[in-house]
Amino acid sequence: MTVEAEALTATFTALADPTRRAILARLTRGEATVGQLAEPFDVSLPAISKHVKVLQRAGLIEQTRRAQWRSCRLRAEPLRDIVTWMGQYREFLGDSFDRLDQYLTDLQKGERP
Amino acid sequence: MTVEAEALTATFTALADPTRRAILARLTRGEATVGQLAEPFDVSLPAISKHVKVLQRAGLIEQTRRAQWRSCRLRAEPLRDIVTWMGQYREFLGDSFDRLDQYLTDLQKGERP
DNA sequence: CAGTTAATTAACTACACAGGAAAGTATGAA
DNA sequence: TTCATACTTTCCTGTGTAGTTAATTAACTG
């Protein structure tokens, strides 16, 4: 399996869990510690800690240590890789998807913002 | 878990396997029977049959029976659902993602092609 | 230093899943 | 009705993962 394929596998695997998707959604509202991420869920802290590790392995989360807290921040690259991967299906997603197609073209030209 | 969340889970789970992603990619070149789908892979037919079933459960594949062959066709809806889900991350994907954002807006207005 | 807080690691259980081999099903052909 | 083709289903094994509690690490606090 190529490197990109392994990365995609890790990303899709990470996104296949609803708790992990909820953690990502939470992080769009700003950084959070593992404890803060755990709060809305009815599972133990170790369980959340493992979810965070899976998200980290996929590159979807970046952790920085501050004292005994580990602040988690969202990383967009893996999501962009999914958009790129979806490019091969644009004709199946309808003509409106041309806008996404255009976005992908820009990406390849290095016009990433 | 909501219905949509379960659908997303099934879709991401299906896409988390490289063999299944390869099967999908093959189907962009046209319909194929299970046997034809199995050909490029070094695994048994039963294994492919099971992969096809996972893709079917996720709604990514549609099967029609013709004699003893089962022709598989790609279905785009789950991929569109992923695009919709990615909408919440558009600001993290950069300004160029606005084009995708516009596409999503069109989708919500019912302007699906 | 002892104690508290934040999070990870370890050890375990339960379950899902990828894979193979072998048997079963369904359709068409001789 | 017998055989071949195209799958699917069943049963099995090994592996991965989500969850738990308990123990451990790391850093600050009094």
Side-chain angles (χ1 to χ4, degrees):
Chain A
M1 193 163 39
T2 68
V3 184
E4 314 88 63
E6 288 199 35
L8 269 180
T9 297
T11 304
F12 282 129
T13 299
L15 296 178
D17 185 280
T19 302
R20 286 194 289 262
R21 288 199 303 274
I23 288 174
L24 281 191
R26 160 69 185 81
L27 289 177
T28 62
R29 304 202 308 275
E31 294 193 17
T33 66
V34 178
Q36 289 171 330
L37 289 176
E39 215 172 277
F41 302 103
D42 196 23
V43 292
S44 65
L45 194 64
I48 298 295
S49 180
K50 286 172 197 168
H51 280 308
V52 167
K53 204 152 80 173
V54 172
L55 289 166
Q56 232 180 332
R57 268 207 309 267
L60 284 159
I61 274 185
E62 202 178 34
Q63 260 186 345
T64 57
R65 182 154 204 162
R66 282 203 290 268
Q68 65 265 62
W69 293 273
R70 316 216 173 169
S71 198
C72 301
R73 198 168 57 235
L74 191 60
R75 281 192 67 247
E77 280 72 11
L79 296 177
R80 266 197 277 262
D81 292 342
I82 289 184
V83 173
T84 303
W85 173 82
M86 296 244 292
Q88 66 188 304
Y89 300 101
R90 50 191 169 296
E91 60 178 295
F92 293 89
L93 290 161
D95 292 338
S96 294
F97 202 75
D98 287 348
R99 291 194 192 83
L100 175 58
D101 186 32
Q102 186 55 51
Y103 168 61
L104 293 167
T105 306
D106 290 354
L107 259 191
Q108 286 190 332
K109 279 193 241 154
E111 292 171 11
R112 191 174 296 193
Chain B
M1 191 163 40
T2 68
V3 184
E4 313 88 66
E6 287 199 35
L8 269 179
T9 296
T11 304
F12 282 129
T13 299
L15 296 177
D17 185 280
T19 302
R20 286 194 289 262
R21 288 199 302 277
I23 289 175
L24 281 191
R26 160 68 184 81
L27 288 177
T28 64
R29 303 202 309 274
E31 295 193 14
T33 66
V34 178
Q36 290 171 331
L37 289 176
E39 215 173 277
F41 302 103
D42 196 23
V43 292
S44 65
L45 193 63
I48 299 296
S49 180
K50 287 168 197 169
H51 280 308
V52 166
K53 204 151 84 174
V54 172
L55 288 166
Q56 234 180 330
R57 268 207 310 266
L60 284 160
I61 273 185
E62 201 178 33
Q63 261 187 344
T64 56
R65 181 152 204 165
R66 282 202 290 267
Q68 64 265 61
W69 293 272
R70 321 219 168 165
S71 197
C72 302
R73 199 169 55 236
L74 192 59
R75 281 192 69 247
E77 280 72 12
L79 296 177
R80 266 197 279 260
D81 292 342
I82 289 183
V83 174
T84 302
W85 173 82
M86 296 244 293
Q88 66 187 305
Y89 301 100
R90 51 190 168 294
E91 62 178 292
F92 292 89
L93 290 161
D95 292 337
S96 294
F97 201 73
D98 287 347
R99 291 194 193 84
L100 175 58
D101 186 32
Q102 186 55 51
Y103 167 61
L104 293 167
T105 305
D106 291 353
L107 260 192
Q108 287 190 333
K109 279 194 241 155
E111 292 172 13
R112 191 175 295 194

